[in-house]
Amino acid sequence: MINIAIDGPAGAGKSTVAKAVAKKFGFIYVDTGALYRSISVNALKHCIETTDTEKVIAMLPETNVELKYIDGTQRVFLNGEDVSEEIRLPEASMAASNVSAIPAVREFLLDLQRDMAKNHNVVMDGRDIGTVILPDAQYKFFLTASAEVRADRRYKELTEKGIEVDYNALLEEIVQRDYNDSHRETAPLRQAEDAILIDSSNLTLEESIEAIANKIKV
Ligand code: DC
């Protein structure tokens, strides 16, 4: 199987780029952030603070997360319920970052991710795919952009949808989440030594997709 890992901070365009690359090569796109988000949604549903490590761990035996592909699109199921939309709610973002710092949560989601990669050609995006989940992936990329550019893109995306947001609040959330994700002890956000760095600050979406696709020979 061919495995392509794309890691990087929140808002660097990983999911859009990974999706396009997967489509181009006919691979399955695996969004691993959705897994952490669904664990956080389960905690929120049970009124468990996502910073309460013990309670989150106690919840895991009754947590079932599955990925399904419907018309080629990833859907995530939490205890049999499709939560693909719910996991995108703003409160799920920081909550996902919190639960993702818990080693038992990472362990809980490990086999699911490795099995996907063992059985399919995948483009998998996340934070630790090239470093921990798929250290032997044939292709590894680290896609990043400055925090300002990422906040700017998010601001445009939301305002275009008619959602009013404060730019500084967005920037602050991005900086805070980067800090959280790169300073946790287990599997922090980090570029793998053998990953190709792509800084998309001055690239269009098409250019980022090309930069990755051009390196892949299948
Ligand atoms: O990519 P995302 O914004 O959907 O991810 C949500 C959170 O999950 C993110 O703040 C960090 C965590 N995450 C992780 O720790 N490891 C991954 N492979 C993917 C996401």
Side-chain angles (χ1 to χ4, degrees):
M1 290 297 154
I2 300 171
N3 294 167
I4 301 171
I6 304 183
D7 291 302
K14 287 190 307 291
S15 64
T16 315
V17 169
K19 243 182 246 170
V21 172
K23 193 164 176 212
K24 190 167 177 131
F25 294 99
F27 287 15
I28 286 184
Y29 163 58
V30 184
D31 164 16
T32 62
L35 303 172
Y36 296 91
R37 285 172 180 270
S38 58
I39 302 275
S40 77
V41 163
N42 201 32
L44 297 172
K45 277 182 194 292
H46 289 89
C47 300
I48 293 171
E49 291 276 350
T50 50
T51 47
D52 189 333
T53 304
E54 275 177 28
K55 285 206 177 127
V56 173
I57 293 176
M59 178 194 84
L60 292 177
E62 282 117 60
T63 307
N64 178 48
V65 179
E66 284 172 290
L67 291 180
K68 291 186 185 167
Y69 289 82
I70 299 170
D71 295 332
T73 304
Q74 174 181 303
R75 308 293 297 180
V76 57
F77 287 76
L78 170 66
N79 296 333
E81 184 195 348
D82 186 343
V83 290
S84 311
E85 268 82 44
E86 210 173 330
I87 58 167
R88 300 293 156 204
L89 293 174
E91 57 267 35
S93 298
M94 196 49 94
S97 183
N98 289 339
V99 300
S100 76
I102 303 172
V105 169
R106 307 200 69 84
E107 185 66 34
F108 181 78
L109 296 171
L110 187 75
D111 288 345
L112 176 62
Q113 296 171 82
R114 286 200 178 147
D115 286 349
M116 287 297 302
K118 200 163 81 185
N119 299 318
H120 307 274
N121 292 328
V122 294
V123 179
M124 191 174 279
D125 91 25
R127 303 294 189 286
D128 64 336
I129 309 305
T131 51
V132 177
I133 307 293
L134 306 177
D136 298 327
Q138 292 89 336
Y139 296 98
K140 296 182 187 178
F141 299 93
F142 194 81
L143 181 64
T144 186
S146 72
E148 288 75 14
V149 166
R150 287 182 283 136
D152 214 44
R153 287 179 187 157
R154 185 93 185 109
Y155 181 80
K156 286 202 187 104
E157 197 181 301
L158 292 171
T159 44
E160 271 165 23
K161 281 189 196 156
I163 303 168
E164 242 182 78
V165 275
D166 176 39
Y167 172 82
N168 287 322
L170 277 182
L171 180 60
E172 207 175 297
E173 208 233 80
I174 282 185
V175 171
Q176 180 65 46
R177 202 138 73 89
D178 282 357
Y179 186 88
N180 253 16
D181 295 345
S182 31
H183 286 79
R184 63 176 180 234
E185 257 175 55
T186 312
L189 167 65
R190 180 171 71 73
Q191 181 182 346
E193 271 171 26
D194 51 352
I196 298 169
L197 174 69
I198 297 180
D199 184 336
S200 77
S201 301
N202 297 309
L203 300 181
T204 62
L205 203 52
E206 286 70 29
E207 288 169 336
S208 300
I209 295 164
E210 278 304 298
I212 290 184
N214 284 341
K215 300 268 190 276
I216 298 164
K217 306 274 172 284
V218 291

